[in-house]
Amino acid sequence: MKRIMIGNVIDAPVVAMGCMRLKGAEENADRIIGTALECGIDYFDHADIYGGGQCEEVFGKYLTAHKDLRDKITVQTKCGIRNGFFDFSKEHIINSVNNSLKRLCTDYLDVLLLHRPDTLMEPDEVAEAFSLLEKEGKVKHFGVSNQNPYQIELLKTAVKQPIIINQLQFSIPESGMVTSGLNVNMKNDESFMHDGSALEYSRIKGITIQAWSPFQQGFIKKPFIGDYETYPELNKTLEELAEKYDVQPISIASAWILRHPANIQVVSGSMNPERIRAICSGADITLTREEWYSIYRSAGFRLP
């Protein structure tokens, strides 16, 4: 498994395991997590809302049964989404971390991300929470999820710890960060910038983008691989390249994200061991520039 430096401070695999679906997969959790580790995945992404906290509990049971594993892996979780609102208050951040630590059966988190922007955020409150959690040894590193550059800059007016991660939806069909950057100085629909140059900003600031839902289309998380009705040309291209490289189409979709020089980390949410292996095999493939753009165009995107 190829590795990157997350925010220039954490040595990590280019593929992380997203644990959102561990609830419901309890009986196979040992096999699923074991497969990830065998493939070189030692980075695990959680959130306090996943399965109402049960996903963290399932992982915590695994850690309890494998006590020697904790210091060999990176555990990340997120907080800030509540029932009907967002909450970046000092009290909620601290309470969320304490509860996640109990469920995960660990004394510390390697990374804490703020989950979705809270427009009522007070940067000073967040700063107090981060500093306390860092001082107590409960959180080593901090980041955000689904934020634009100016939201991060606002946070940094008070927060002293580096923001090392921004977790954003990114896949072949959902690659608006790329599309807007390719259509600069144009007046077409593709030139509309939804994310405020988040891709370029992250590269400049040394912030690692983690791609969530990397194999889905749209916010509803419908897979695009195998959806020949919606993406016939894309699936054809993926299949042709999969045959060339002797891998699965999802391996090529993984390789497409990993080919970008921004060193994006793929967050795979699959609970299927064979699929996990196929996704990881994409890390061993370096697509040519021509192949990368052919995949992009086959998803229906036009070059200006």
Side-chain angles (χ1 to χ4, degrees):
M1 172 76 71
K2 291 180 181 178
R3 301 183 71 86
I4 55 174
M5 292 300 294
I6 299 286
N8 298 318
V9 292
I10 300 176
D11 177 56
V14 293
V15 178
M17 178 177 169
C19 298
M20 186 176 69
R21 297 183 178 90
L22 271 180
K23 178 186 176 183
E26 294 93 335
E27 294 183 0
N28 296 316
D30 283 11
R31 183 180 175 215
I32 294 167
I33 298 171
T35 298
L37 290 168
E38 289 172 9
C39 291
I41 296 176
D42 55 18
Y43 198 110
F44 298 88
D45 173 67
H46 294 268
D48 57 357
I49 64 166
Y50 291 166
Q54 292 184 43
C55 296
E56 289 181 331
E57 290 177 357
V58 173
F59 194 83
K61 290 178 181 178
Y62 186 89
L63 283 183
T64 300
H66 301 80
K67 295 184 183 298
D68 62 333
L69 182 64
R70 179 63 189 95
D71 292 336
K72 301 175 183 177
I73 63 173
T74 301
V75 177
Q76 168 179 293
T77 198
K78 301 181 286 293
C79 72
I81 297 180
R82 303 188 69 176
N83 187 18
F85 62 104
F86 303 123
D87 191 348
F88 285 1
S89 66
K90 176 183 177 181
E91 179 183 14
H92 180 69
I93 292 172
I94 292 173
N95 286 341
S96 294
V97 168
N98 287 332
N99 290 332
S100 286
L101 291 174
K102 291 177 183 177
R103 290 191 291 264
L104 289 164
C105 300
T106 183
D107 296 326
Y108 67 95
L109 297 172
D110 295 284
V111 186
L112 174 69
L113 305 185
L114 297 178
H115 205 174
R116 291 282 170 191
D118 174 15
T119 194
L120 301 182
M121 175 190 73
E122 295 284 359
D124 288 338
E125 264 199 272
V126 176
E128 290 177 12
F130 281 10
S131 293
L132 180 62
L133 292 169
E134 182 181 51
K135 181 180 179 180
E136 293 179 343
K138 293 180 178 179
V139 180
K140 292 185 177 181
H141 304 285
F142 300 87
V144 298
S145 182
N146 306 298
Q147 294 201 16
N148 66 38
Y150 273 101
Q151 289 170 327
I152 295 174
E153 286 297 310
L154 174 60
L155 189 63
K156 288 167 63 177
T157 60
V159 170
K160 304 305 179 185
Q161 295 78 9
I163 301 301
I164 66 169
I165 291 167
N166 192 6
Q167 196 172 97
L168 300 162
Q169 183 177 18
F170 187 73
S171 69
I172 300 170
E174 295 298 317
S175 52
M177 290 185 289
V178 166
T179 300
S180 61
L182 290 175
N183 285 270
V184 173
N185 199 36
M186 302 290 290
K187 295 183 179 180
N188 52 15
D189 292 340
E190 290 83 358
S191 67
F192 189 82
M193 188 174 293
H194 292 270
D195 306 299
S197 295
L199 182 62
E200 291 79 12
Y201 171 84
S202 296
R203 295 181 71 180
I204 293 170
K205 298 295 184 178
I207 297 173
T208 297
I209 292 176
Q210 292 179 329
W212 61 265
S213 287
F215 310 111
Q216 278 82 35
Q217 52 179 300
F219 191 69
I220 59 173
K221 301 180 177 65
K222 180 182 178 182
F224 61 84
I225 297 175
D227 184 357
Y228 300 94
E229 181 177 353
T230 309
Y231 293 103
E233 292 301 318
L234 174 57
N235 278 282
K236 178 183 177 182
T237 302
L238 291 175
E239 289 175 356
E240 290 174 350
L241 289 170
E243 183 176 358
K244 173 184 175 180
Y245 287 99
D246 192 25
V247 293
Q248 299 297 315
I250 197 169
S251 309
I252 301 300
S254 177
W256 186 86
I257 295 174
L258 299 177
R259 171 63 176 81
H260 199 282
N263 286 326
I264 298 169
Q265 186 184 44
V266 169
V267 180
S268 166
S270 178
M271 298 289 104
N272 182 316
E274 293 307 313
R275 195 172 176 88
I276 292 171
R277 291 189 180 95
I279 291 167
C280 290
S281 70
D284 298 323
I285 298 168
T286 302
L287 297 171
T288 67
R289 189 178 296 266
E290 291 81 3
E291 289 168 343
W292 192 93
Y293 274 102
S294 71
I295 293 171
Y296 177 76
R297 296 197 316 273
S298 70
F301 296 108
R302 299 171 298 172
L303 297 181

